[in-house]
């Protein structure tokens, strides 16, 4: 699934993943929408952002 950047950050979404293309220097997410996986999650480490897309500049 491909997600494009929007003109504005998603309200209430904080992102500190600096190597994501949707991350801003203000720790906001500018993806058009986000998808969080982990349908049967019982702990935070069992969830994940499926919208993450690695910046080309990163290893």
């Amino acid at each position: 699934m491909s997600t494009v950047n929007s003109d504005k950050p998603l309200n209430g979404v904080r992102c500190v993943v600096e190597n994501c293309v949707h991350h801003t220097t203000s720790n906001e997410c500018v993806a058009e929408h986000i998808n969080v996986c982990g349908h049967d999650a019982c702990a935070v480490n069992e969830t994940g952002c499926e919208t993450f897309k690695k910046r080309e500049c990163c290893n």
Side-chain angles (χ1 to χ4, degrees), residues 7-30:
D7 293 337
K8 295 190 274 183
L10 290 169
N11 188 28
V13 176
R14 183 173 180 266
C15 177
V16 296
V17 183
E18 294 179 3
N19 61 340
C20 180
V21 298
H22 307 296
H23 175 266
T24 71
T25 56
S26 301
N27 289 333
E28 296 170 312
C29 178
V30 291

